[in-house]
mmCIF file of all heavy atoms in Angstrom:
data_model
loop_
_atom_site.group_PDB
_atom_site.id
_atom_site.type_symbol
_atom_site.label_atom_id
_atom_site.label_comp_id
_atom_site.label_asym_id
_atom_site.label_seq_id
_atom_site.Cartn_x
_atom_site.Cartn_y
_atom_site.Cartn_z
ATOM 1 N N VAL A 532 -0.628 -4.862 10.494
ATOM 2 C CA VAL A 532 -0.559 -3.447 10.033
ATOM 3 C C VAL A 532 0.550 -2.669 10.637
ATOM 4 O O VAL A 532 1.191 -1.813 10.004
ATOM 5 C CB VAL A 532 -1.903 -2.807 10.199
ATOM 6 C CG1 VAL A 532 -1.838 -1.317 9.952
ATOM 7 C CG2 VAL A 532 -3.013 -3.429 9.316
ATOM 8 N N THR A 533 0.809 -2.973 11.904
ATOM 9 C CA THR A 533 1.746 -2.181 12.701
ATOM 10 C C THR A 533 3.135 -2.835 12.807
ATOM 11 O O THR A 533 3.981 -2.275 13.472
ATOM 12 C CB THR A 533 1.219 -1.875 14.117
ATOM 13 O OG1 THR A 533 0.965 -3.066 14.795
ATOM 14 C CG2 THR A 533 -0.158 -1.097 13.996
ATOM 15 N N HIS A 534 3.364 -3.964 12.201
ATOM 16 C CA HIS A 534 4.617 -4.598 12.304
ATOM 17 C C HIS A 534 5.685 -3.653 11.615
ATOM 18 O O HIS A 534 5.405 -3.105 10.585
ATOM 19 C CB HIS A 534 4.644 -5.949 11.575
ATOM 20 C CG HIS A 534 5.875 -6.706 11.844
ATOM 21 N ND1 HIS A 534 6.986 -6.584 10.986
ATOM 22 C CD2 HIS A 534 6.193 -7.656 12.782
ATOM 23 C CE1 HIS A 534 7.910 -7.381 11.479
ATOM 24 N NE2 HIS A 534 7.524 -7.992 12.529
ATOM 25 N N PRO A 535 6.877 -3.532 12.221
ATOM 26 C CA PRO A 535 7.865 -2.586 11.648
ATOM 27 C C PRO A 535 8.187 -2.834 10.208
ATOM 28 O O PRO A 535 8.446 -1.914 9.476
ATOM 29 C CB PRO A 535 9.135 -2.851 12.528
ATOM 30 C CG PRO A 535 8.514 -3.347 13.842
ATOM 31 C CD PRO A 535 7.262 -4.123 13.513
ATOM 32 N N HIS A 536 8.239 -4.107 9.754
ATOM 33 C CA HIS A 536 8.522 -4.320 8.351
ATOM 34 C C HIS A 536 7.422 -3.754 7.463
ATOM 35 O O HIS A 536 7.692 -3.082 6.393
ATOM 36 C CB HIS A 536 8.722 -5.815 8.042
ATOM 37 C CG HIS A 536 9.111 -6.074 6.665
ATOM 38 N ND1 HIS A 536 10.391 -5.960 6.158
ATOM 39 C CD2 HIS A 536 8.409 -6.423 5.567
ATOM 40 C CE1 HIS A 536 10.456 -6.234 4.886
ATOM 41 N NE2 HIS A 536 9.233 -6.643 4.478
ATOM 42 N N ALA A 537 6.159 -4.080 7.790
ATOM 43 C CA ALA A 537 5.042 -3.584 7.030
ATOM 44 C C ALA A 537 5.006 -1.997 7.001
ATOM 45 O O ALA A 537 4.771 -1.407 5.994
ATOM 46 C CB ALA A 537 3.696 -4.124 7.594
ATOM 47 N N VAL A 538 5.380 -1.393 8.137
ATOM 48 C CA VAL A 538 5.443 0.066 8.263
ATOM 49 C C VAL A 538 6.535 0.644 7.395
ATOM 50 O O VAL A 538 6.312 1.584 6.635
ATOM 51 C CB VAL A 538 5.585 0.518 9.674
ATOM 52 C CG1 VAL A 538 5.843 1.996 9.793
ATOM 53 C CG2 VAL A 538 4.344 0.109 10.582
ATOM 54 N N ALA A 539 7.699 0.019 7.418
ATOM 55 C CA ALA A 539 8.783 0.471 6.676
ATOM 56 C C ALA A 539 8.581 0.389 5.163
ATOM 57 O O ALA A 539 8.951 1.244 4.331
ATOM 58 C CB ALA A 539 10.063 -0.313 6.955
ATOM 59 N N ARG A 540 7.876 -0.651 4.728
ATOM 60 C CA ARG A 540 7.551 -0.837 3.348
ATOM 61 C C ARG A 540 6.337 -0.112 2.846
ATOM 62 O O ARG A 540 6.060 0.018 1.668
ATOM 63 C CB ARG A 540 7.342 -2.395 3.064
ATOM 64 C CG ARG A 540 8.614 -3.239 3.187
ATOM 65 C CD ARG A 540 9.288 -3.389 1.827
ATOM 66 N NE ARG A 540 8.472 -4.048 0.821
ATOM 67 C CZ ARG A 540 8.775 -4.167 -0.414
ATOM 68 N NH1 ARG A 540 9.936 -3.682 -0.844
ATOM 69 N NH2 ARG A 540 8.008 -4.817 -1.300
ATOM 70 N N GLY A 541 5.521 0.391 3.810
ATOM 71 C CA GLY A 541 4.259 0.918 3.466
ATOM 72 C C GLY A 541 3.284 -0.112 2.868
ATOM 73 O O GLY A 541 2.563 0.189 1.909
ATOM 74 N N SER A 542 3.312 -1.288 3.416
ATOM 75 C CA SER A 542 2.505 -2.370 2.923
ATOM 76 C C SER A 542 0.995 -2.189 3.008
ATOM 77 O O SER A 542 0.251 -2.773 2.294
ATOM 78 C CB SER A 542 2.966 -3.724 3.620
ATOM 79 O OG SER A 542 4.352 -3.961 3.494
ATOM 80 N N PHE A 543 0.626 -1.366 3.979
ATOM 81 C CA PHE A 543 -0.793 -1.083 4.218
ATOM 82 C C PHE A 543 -1.025 0.447 4.042
ATOM 83 O O PHE A 543 -0.111 1.170 4.282
ATOM 84 C CB PHE A 543 -1.257 -1.464 5.588
ATOM 85 C CG PHE A 543 -1.217 -2.990 5.799
ATOM 86 C CD1 PHE A 543 -0.028 -3.618 6.224
ATOM 87 C CD2 PHE A 543 -2.366 -3.749 5.615
ATOM 88 C CE1 PHE A 543 -0.064 -4.954 6.422
ATOM 89 C CE2 PHE A 543 -2.328 -5.138 5.839
ATOM 90 C CZ PHE A 543 -1.123 -5.754 6.243
ATOM 91 N N VAL A 544 -2.201 0.745 3.565
ATOM 92 C CA VAL A 544 -2.450 2.210 3.238
ATOM 93 C C VAL A 544 -3.793 2.611 3.826
ATOM 94 O O VAL A 544 -4.592 1.754 4.216
ATOM 95 C CB VAL A 544 -2.478 2.424 1.681
ATOM 96 C CG1 VAL A 544 -1.133 2.080 1.077
ATOM 97 C CG2 VAL A 544 -3.619 1.521 1.094
ATOM 98 N N GLN A 545 -3.952 3.859 4.008
ATOM 99 C CA GLN A 545 -5.231 4.462 4.516
ATOM 100 C C GLN A 545 -6.004 4.934 3.297
ATOM 101 O O GLN A 545 -5.435 5.736 2.482
ATOM 102 C CB GLN A 545 -4.893 5.579 5.463
ATOM 103 C CG GLN A 545 -4.436 5.201 6.862
ATOM 104 C CD GLN A 545 -5.609 4.796 7.790
ATOM 105 O OE1 GLN A 545 -6.703 5.356 7.639
ATOM 106 N NE2 GLN A 545 -5.369 3.859 8.629
ATOM 107 N N VAL A 546 -7.183 4.503 3.214
ATOM 108 C CA VAL A 546 -8.076 4.968 2.139
ATOM 109 C C VAL A 546 -9.387 5.360 2.769
ATOM 110 O O VAL A 546 -10.087 4.560 3.340
ATOM 111 C CB VAL A 546 -8.335 3.839 1.126
ATOM 112 C CG1 VAL A 546 -9.258 4.346 -0.044
ATOM 113 C CG2 VAL A 546 -7.003 3.313 0.499
ATOM 114 N N ALA A 547 -9.622 6.641 2.680
ATOM 115 C CA ALA A 547 -10.924 7.165 3.382
ATOM 116 C C ALA A 547 -10.980 6.701 4.804
ATOM 117 O O ALA A 547 -12.127 6.406 5.247
ATOM 118 C CB ALA A 547 -12.125 6.794 2.564
ATOM 119 N N GLY A 548 -9.928 6.827 5.494
ATOM 120 C CA GLY A 548 -9.969 6.420 6.909
ATOM 121 C C GLY A 548 -9.896 4.988 7.252
ATOM 122 O O GLY A 548 -9.939 4.598 8.451
ATOM 123 N N MET A 549 -9.781 4.125 6.272
ATOM 124 C CA MET A 549 -9.762 2.717 6.514
ATOM 125 C C MET A 549 -8.445 2.147 6.110
ATOM 126 O O MET A 549 -7.847 2.359 5.010
ATOM 127 C CB MET A 549 -10.850 2.015 5.722
ATOM 128 C CG MET A 549 -10.892 0.455 5.873
ATOM 129 S SD MET A 549 -12.037 -0.326 4.738
ATOM 130 C CE MET A 549 -11.728 -2.079 5.254
ATOM 131 N N THR A 550 -7.853 1.350 7.005
ATOM 132 C CA THR A 550 -6.556 0.701 6.750
ATOM 133 C C THR A 550 -6.824 -0.618 5.935
ATOM 134 O O THR A 550 -7.674 -1.358 6.255
ATOM 135 C CB THR A 550 -5.867 0.306 8.068
ATOM 136 O OG1 THR A 550 -5.688 1.520 8.869
ATOM 137 C CG2 THR A 550 -4.442 -0.243 7.758
ATOM 138 N N GLN A 551 -6.008 -0.703 4.874
ATOM 139 C CA GLN A 551 -6.174 -1.876 4.023
ATOM 140 C C GLN A 551 -4.828 -2.152 3.274
ATOM 141 O O GLN A 551 -3.998 -1.298 3.217
ATOM 142 C CB GLN A 551 -7.262 -1.684 2.989
ATOM 143 C CG GLN A 551 -7.099 -0.388 2.170
ATOM 144 C CD GLN A 551 -8.398 -0.044 1.403
ATOM 145 O OE1 GLN A 551 -8.510 -0.325 0.297
ATOM 146 N NE2 GLN A 551 -9.264 0.645 2.155
ATOM 147 N N PRO A 552 -4.732 -3.422 2.831
ATOM 148 C CA PRO A 552 -3.451 -3.756 2.049
ATOM 149 C C PRO A 552 -3.283 -2.832 0.867
ATOM 150 O O PRO A 552 -4.207 -2.476 0.134
ATOM 151 C CB PRO A 552 -3.679 -5.188 1.644
ATOM 152 C CG PRO A 552 -4.685 -5.693 2.595
ATOM 153 C CD PRO A 552 -5.539 -4.611 2.919
ATOM 154 N N GLY A 553 -2.024 -2.383 0.617
ATOM 155 C CA GLY A 553 -1.642 -1.571 -0.491
ATOM 156 C C GLY A 553 -1.521 -2.425 -1.718
ATOM 157 O O GLY A 553 -1.555 -3.694 -1.680
ATOM 158 N N PRO A 554 -1.297 -1.753 -2.861
ATOM 159 C CA PRO A 554 -1.163 -2.459 -4.205
ATOM 160 C C PRO A 554 0.055 -3.402 -4.128
ATOM 161 O O PRO A 554 1.047 -3.105 -3.550
ATOM 162 C CB PRO A 554 -0.964 -1.350 -5.155
ATOM 163 C CG PRO A 554 -1.590 -0.155 -4.528
ATOM 164 C CD PRO A 554 -1.282 -0.260 -3.052
ATOM 165 N N ALA A 555 -0.141 -4.548 -4.857
ATOM 166 C CA ALA A 555 0.940 -5.531 -4.961
ATOM 167 C C ALA A 555 0.722 -6.157 -6.291
ATOM 168 O O ALA A 555 -0.404 -6.358 -6.756
ATOM 169 C CB ALA A 555 0.935 -6.529 -3.811
ATOM 170 N N PRO A 556 1.789 -6.677 -6.975
ATOM 171 C CA PRO A 556 3.178 -6.416 -6.684
ATOM 172 C C PRO A 556 3.643 -5.032 -7.028
ATOM 173 O O PRO A 556 2.877 -4.213 -7.538
ATOM 174 C CB PRO A 556 3.844 -7.448 -7.602
ATOM 175 C CG PRO A 556 2.955 -7.503 -8.786
ATOM 176 C CD PRO A 556 1.558 -7.388 -8.245
ATOM 177 N N ARG A 557 4.888 -4.737 -6.749
ATOM 178 C CA ARG A 557 5.419 -3.362 -6.945
ATOM 179 C C ARG A 557 6.250 -3.293 -8.238
ATOM 180 O O ARG A 557 7.033 -4.187 -8.541
ATOM 181 C CB ARG A 557 6.245 -3.000 -5.762
ATOM 182 C CG ARG A 557 5.532 -3.061 -4.456
ATOM 183 C CD ARG A 557 6.336 -2.411 -3.306
ATOM 184 N NE ARG A 557 5.617 -2.467 -2.059
ATOM 185 C CZ ARG A 557 5.789 -1.750 -1.060
ATOM 186 N NH1 ARG A 557 6.753 -0.809 -1.066
ATOM 187 N NH2 ARG A 557 5.104 -1.883 0.054
ATOM 188 N N LEU A 558 6.041 -2.252 -8.965
ATOM 189 C CA LEU A 558 6.817 -1.944 -10.180
ATOM 190 C C LEU A 558 7.621 -0.728 -9.865
ATOM 191 O O LEU A 558 7.067 0.255 -9.402
ATOM 192 C CB LEU A 558 5.908 -1.798 -11.458
ATOM 193 C CG LEU A 558 5.342 -3.110 -12.011
ATOM 194 C CD1 LEU A 558 4.252 -3.760 -11.127
ATOM 195 C CD2 LEU A 558 4.841 -2.861 -13.431
ATOM 196 N N THR A 559 8.867 -0.699 -10.273
ATOM 197 C CA THR A 559 9.764 0.468 -9.940
ATOM 198 C C THR A 559 9.427 1.680 -10.725
ATOM 199 O O THR A 559 9.531 2.809 -10.245
ATOM 200 C CB THR A 559 11.244 0.031 -10.072
ATOM 201 O OG1 THR A 559 11.482 -0.396 -11.376
ATOM 202 C CG2 THR A 559 11.595 -1.111 -9.073
ATOM 203 N N ARG A 560 9.224 1.502 -12.031
ATOM 204 C CA ARG A 560 9.107 2.669 -12.919
ATOM 205 C C ARG A 560 7.690 3.192 -13.047
ATOM 206 O O ARG A 560 7.435 4.392 -13.210
ATOM 207 C CB ARG A 560 9.731 2.412 -14.280
ATOM 208 C CG ARG A 560 9.814 3.572 -15.252
ATOM 209 C CD ARG A 560 10.736 3.276 -16.404
ATOM 210 N NE ARG A 560 10.302 2.045 -17.114
ATOM 211 C CZ ARG A 560 9.281 1.942 -17.929
ATOM 212 N NH1 ARG A 560 8.571 3.070 -18.194
ATOM 213 N NH2 ARG A 560 8.936 0.847 -18.555
ATOM 214 N N THR A 561 6.734 2.278 -13.002
ATOM 215 C CA THR A 561 5.333 2.677 -13.105
ATOM 216 C C THR A 561 4.536 2.111 -11.939
ATOM 217 O O THR A 561 3.797 1.106 -12.060
ATOM 218 C CB THR A 561 4.738 2.125 -14.488
ATOM 219 O OG1 THR A 561 4.934 0.676 -14.517
ATOM 220 C CG2 THR A 561 5.404 2.825 -15.635
ATOM 221 N N PRO A 562 4.751 2.624 -10.820
ATOM 222 C CA PRO A 562 4.214 1.988 -9.573
ATOM 223 C C PRO A 562 2.651 2.074 -9.571
ATOM 224 O O PRO A 562 2.021 3.044 -10.105
ATOM 225 C CB PRO A 562 4.785 2.863 -8.431
ATOM 226 C CG PRO A 562 5.084 4.159 -9.107
ATOM 227 C CD PRO A 562 5.472 3.796 -10.477
ATOM 228 N N SER A 563 2.038 1.053 -8.948
ATOM 229 C CA SER A 563 0.620 1.097 -8.655
ATOM 230 C C SER A 563 0.187 2.067 -7.588
ATOM 231 O O SER A 563 1.039 2.402 -6.782
ATOM 232 C CB SER A 563 0.095 -0.278 -8.372
ATOM 233 O OG SER A 563 0.427 -1.227 -9.455
ATOM 234 N N SER A 564 -1.056 2.377 -7.479
ATOM 235 C CA SER A 564 -1.502 3.227 -6.382
ATOM 236 C C SER A 564 -3.018 3.118 -6.263
ATOM 237 O O SER A 564 -3.683 2.657 -7.093
ATOM 238 C CB SER A 564 -1.160 4.736 -6.692
ATOM 239 O OG SER A 564 -1.823 5.232 -7.870
ATOM 240 N N VAL A 565 -3.521 3.497 -5.034
ATOM 241 C CA VAL A 565 -4.947 3.612 -4.846
ATOM 242 C C VAL A 565 -5.437 4.955 -5.157
ATOM 243 O O VAL A 565 -5.019 5.924 -4.432
ATOM 244 C CB VAL A 565 -5.292 3.136 -3.422
ATOM 245 C CG1 VAL A 565 -6.720 3.172 -3.157
ATOM 246 C CG2 VAL A 565 -4.751 1.757 -3.143
ATOM 247 N N ARG A 566 -6.286 5.122 -6.118
ATOM 248 C CA ARG A 566 -6.660 6.443 -6.594
ATOM 249 C C ARG A 566 -7.943 6.951 -5.921
ATOM 250 O O ARG A 566 -8.173 8.193 -5.923
ATOM 251 C CB ARG A 566 -6.790 6.467 -8.076
ATOM 252 C CG ARG A 566 -5.487 6.304 -8.793
ATOM 253 C CD ARG A 566 -5.661 6.143 -10.258
ATOM 254 N NE ARG A 566 -6.187 4.825 -10.569
ATOM 255 C CZ ARG A 566 -6.635 4.487 -11.701
ATOM 256 N NH1 ARG A 566 -6.596 5.299 -12.722
ATOM 257 N NH2 ARG A 566 -7.189 3.263 -11.941
ATOM 258 N N SER A 567 -8.794 6.090 -5.367
ATOM 259 C CA SER A 567 -10.050 6.544 -4.786
ATOM 260 C C SER A 567 -10.621 5.412 -3.990
ATOM 261 O O SER A 567 -10.362 4.200 -4.257
ATOM 262 C CB SER A 567 -10.993 6.971 -5.885
ATOM 263 O OG SER A 567 -11.344 5.806 -6.696
ATOM 264 N N PRO A 568 -11.464 5.739 -3.034
ATOM 265 C CA PRO A 568 -12.166 4.784 -2.199
ATOM 266 C C PRO A 568 -13.307 4.156 -3.091
ATOM 267 O O PRO A 568 -13.570 4.604 -4.222
ATOM 268 C CB PRO A 568 -12.775 5.540 -1.013
ATOM 269 C CG PRO A 568 -12.919 6.953 -1.496
ATOM 270 C CD PRO A 568 -11.762 7.126 -2.491
ATOM 271 N N ALA A 569 -13.889 3.092 -2.546
ATOM 272 C CA ALA A 569 -15.065 2.493 -3.230
ATOM 273 C C ALA A 569 -16.218 3.465 -3.441
ATOM 274 O O ALA A 569 -16.433 4.306 -2.600
ATOM 275 C CB ALA A 569 -15.511 1.221 -2.473
#
């Protein structure tokens, strides 16, 4: 989670206080996102 490459890319995200992998793969024009916790 704290590796510089992961930090630079935003590879992990915070959702309701919990760190977890972010959406993959990435689309440039219509990016994915986490909209709510479980």
Side-chain angles (χ1 to χ4, degrees):
V532 170
T533 61
H534 188 273
H536 182 79
V538 172
R540 291 268 299 173
S542 302
F543 294 86
V544 296
Q545 284 277 329
V546 181
M549 180 186 179
T550 302
Q551 54 195 262
R557 301 190 181 201
L558 283 74
T559 57
R560 188 169 51 79
T561 55
S563 301
S564 63
V565 179
R566 290 171 292 170
S567 65

